[in-house]
Amino acid sequence: MQNKQLNDLKEQAKQLDRNDKLAYKLSEFELPTELIYLDGNSLGPLSHSAKKRAIEVVEQQWGADLIESWNKHEWIGLPKLTGNKLAELIGAEENTVICCDSISVNLFKVLSAALLLQENQSKKQKPRVTRNVILSQSDNFPSDIYMAQGLATLLGENRCKLQTVENRCIEQELQENGDKISVLMLTHVNFKNGDISNMRAITHLAHQKGVMVIWDLAHSAGVLPLELEACQVDFAVGCTYKYLNGGPGAPAFVYVAKRHQKGLQQPLSGWMGHKQPFAFLHDYEAANGPEQMLSGTPPVISMSILDASLDVFDGLNMIDIREKSIALNAFFQECIDHLLAGSALKLACHVDANERGSQTSYTHAHAYAICQALIAHKVVPDFRAPDILRLGFSPLFLTFEQVFTAARLLADIVRDERYLLPEYQQMKEVT
Ligand SMILES: *Cc1c(COP(=O)(O)O)cnc(C)c1O
């Protein structure tokens, strides 16, 4: 690599930083100065507003005001308040989103509810059609698959059967066997290769075939423009600890289209989803709005932190966020193409950054060790078994100069085989 080329790339990075409309956002985060954090897609960083709220909710609200805080600090309203803030970020109407539990648990609720809706629908039809299939992608996130498997075990084959096909075959499967499919459960952005599914077209096709649609927005919310309402999505779930920076284990969210809210039945019918939780009545009666998706007591500390984290998005628009996200990914690739042409590091995602979520993935036989070597030099991506190095580019806190530095380090590590050092081989429990 010629020095001139390196300098050109560095100059290009500086120029991109000067033109970056979102550059000012970096100062709202607590990131260690030396760190280049390419894992905001697994755990978003701490913002100043989140830290401030964490201290306040522990010291003042819990510490001093105790039980009174449920009213005084509106703890009871947090699931709905955070849900409505999220609704704006994902193109959903007010009072269609609520924060609670994890994606996995929320999937169980919406899968069950959607299957029941379909069963009730089919009872009214003559001749009766039996739809019992949950269709999903074979490379969907494992937990999504596991939850459907668990539900299938509970309900039995006659009522629920999981079927998975390759992502590119989803539409064909809908065309050919749509009349057997009850629910289509898809992840919008694939966690390994970042492939984006066409939410509008697939939802539309599914509806034509009488199929309900659930979208998992884990790698989309907070980084891609979404239009749940315009796409007429039935249900959606997503987490808040990735691009939404809600903090480790922050509560997830669930979207229920207005048209499904009345008469919906979700099986985890706990007191917080009751119409009158504090009347302590014997029989369950679901609340009207998205609150009916709640089960037990909300994790108030996490949810307060999430509430403050979402304030970072105030005044931002998703188009600008997406634009920077694409630019970061494209620039990283450009650097790697220059610095490391023809190496054993192979791109494992769509070559066009416009066609994938905010991440770039590579395969390499030593992907895990490469990841460890990067971390040792303060560049933090992650590893996804069996051989994927995944670099997440969060537009709110990364600079193009950091992207350049990270690409240069990766190129050095791969070219000089520095990853072969014994200290990078030790497999940790969380990758
Ligand atoms: C991260 C992720 C999850 C996580 O689910 P939790 O139950 O919240 O731990 C689920 N689905 C997808 C697609 C993910 O990327």
Side-chain angles (χ1 to χ4, degrees):
M1 182 81 213
Q2 303 291 316
N3 273 342
K4 161 129 185 21
Q5 267 181 300
L6 268 181
N7 282 337
D8 286 352
L9 285 172
K10 188 153 191 189
E11 272 315 307
Q12 199 182 332
K14 285 184 174 161
Q15 187 59 37
L16 286 162
D17 279 329
R18 279 193 289 273
N19 293 336
D20 177 7
K21 278 190 255 178
L22 297 175
Y24 73 101
K25 279 281 151 187
L26 168 60
S27 68
E28 294 181 26
F29 291 91
E30 294 268 332
L31 284 157
T33 35
E34 291 304 303
L35 199 72
I36 299 181
Y37 193 63
L38 306 181
D39 215 2
N41 53 325
S42 270
L43 175 65
L46 177 65
S47 59
H48 301 315
S49 59
K51 183 175 175 179
K52 188 164 160 259
R53 180 74 74 86
I55 294 167
E56 187 183 310
V57 72
V58 170
E59 284 187 359
Q60 179 60 37
Q61 300 184 5
W62 182 20
D65 296 337
L66 284 153
I67 193 80
E68 203 193 341
S69 295
W70 282 104
N71 293 310
K72 186 173 171 186
H73 300 295
E74 305 224 28
W75 284 357
I76 197 70
L78 280 169
K80 201 165 170 185
L81 177 76
T82 48
N84 279 329
K85 283 188 180 179
L86 271 163
E88 288 185 28
L89 299 179
I90 60 175
E93 275 183 84
E94 204 179 352
N95 295 332
T96 55
V97 180
I98 196 118
C99 281
C100 55
D101 303 312
S102 58
I103 288 189
S104 306
V105 172
N106 286 333
L107 268 178
F108 184 83
K109 292 183 252 183
V110 290
L111 276 171
S112 314
L115 283 172
L116 278 177
L117 268 178
Q118 290 281 43
E119 284 183 2
N120 291 336
Q121 193 64 32
S122 84
K123 280 178 199 150
K124 293 183 210 145
Q125 281 167 348
K126 279 190 195 128
R128 260 177 80 169
V129 285
T130 315
R131 295 175 182 268
N132 60 351
V133 172
I134 296 175
L135 178 66
S136 192
Q137 301 131 323
S138 40
D139 62 351
N140 198 349
F141 190 80
S143 197
D144 297 35
I145 304 280
Y146 302 158
M147 295 313 291
Q149 287 170 340
L151 187 58
T153 308
L154 180 71
L155 295 179
E157 243 198 15
N158 289 336
R159 296 180 69 195
C160 177
K161 219 157 71 179
L162 172 68
Q163 190 199 339
T164 60
V165 297
E166 278 183 49
N167 194 29
R168 60 183 174 82
C169 302
I170 289 287
E171 279 160 293
Q172 189 190 341
E173 190 60 33
L174 280 169
Q175 290 287 8
E176 288 171 8
N177 295 310
D179 58 341
K180 300 187 186 66
I181 300 166
S182 174
V183 186
L184 180 61
M185 171 185 77
L186 297 179
T187 290
H188 183 231
V189 172
N190 180 274
F191 76 111
K192 279 190 181 168
N193 59 26
D195 276 356
I196 305 175
S197 292
N198 187 333
M199 183 181 286
R200 190 182 293 265
I202 296 175
T203 305
H204 183 69
L205 174 62
H207 286 169
Q208 280 182 334
K209 300 287 173 185
V211 176
M212 293 234 166
V213 189
I214 301 172
W215 287 98
D216 181 338
L217 308 176
H219 287 278
S220 323
V223 78
L224 279 172
L226 293 165
E227 294 185 295
L228 295 197
E229 240 37 88
C231 296
Q232 299 198 308
V233 170
D234 298 292
F235 304 95
V237 295
C239 54
T240 64
Y241 51 79
K242 293 174 179 167
Y243 292 106
L244 293 162
N245 315 314
F253 64 88
V254 50
Y255 162 85
V256 181
K258 276 251 165 79
R259 62 186 179 281
H260 297 314
Q261 289 183 1
K262 197 162 178 282
L264 194 73
Q265 286 176 284
Q266 67 98 345
L268 303 184
S269 45
W271 71 311
M272 285 291 154
H274 195 282
K275 208 170 207 155
Q276 298 173 272
F278 291 91
F280 300 101
L281 301 172
H282 178 273
D283 292 320
Y284 186 75
E285 194 186 344
N288 290 324
E291 296 93 324
Q292 63 188 298
M293 301 312 285
L294 298 177
S295 297
T297 306
V300 170
I301 295 174
S302 294
M303 215 169 260
S304 302
I305 294 172
L306 168 63
D307 177 37
S309 306
L310 293 175
D311 291 344
V312 170
F313 287 86
D314 278 355
L316 294 182
N317 85 56
M318 278 299 157
I319 307 288
D320 291 341
I321 292 178
R322 176 66 178 152
E323 199 175 285
K324 180 171 174 190
S325 148
I326 293 169
L328 288 167
N329 279 278
F331 183 58
F332 184 81
Q333 260 175 284
E334 188 183 337
C335 292
I336 290 294
D337 287 349
H338 278 291
L339 302 171
L340 202 61
S343 82
L345 193 74
K346 296 279 174 264
L347 198 65
C349 55
H350 205 294
V351 287
D352 184 353
N354 288 282
E355 300 291 328
R356 52 180 210 259
S358 201
Q359 62 180 70
T360 303
S361 310
Y362 295 93
T363 51
H364 191 286
H366 295 274
Y368 184 75
I370 293 172
C371 184
Q372 295 309 305
L374 285 165
I375 293 169
H377 292 86
K378 295 199 178 292
V379 171
V380 183
D382 62 20
F383 164 79
R384 286 292 172 264
D387 60 355
I388 290 190
L389 178 69
R390 187 177 67 163
L391 307 110
F393 294 93
S394 296
L396 297 189
F397 57 82
L398 286 174
T399 69
F400 289 88
E401 267 205 85
Q402 287 181 316
V403 168
F404 168 73
T405 307
R408 210 179 149 179
L409 180 68
L410 174 60
D412 286 348
I413 287 170
V414 172
R415 193 183 328 98
D416 305 341
E417 300 190 349
R418 274 197 246 165
Y419 52 81
L420 293 175
L421 289 174
E423 63 258 42
Y424 303 142
Q425 315 303 319
Q426 188 67 37
M427 200 82 171
K428 294 180 183 142
E429 188 172 347
V430 176
T431 62

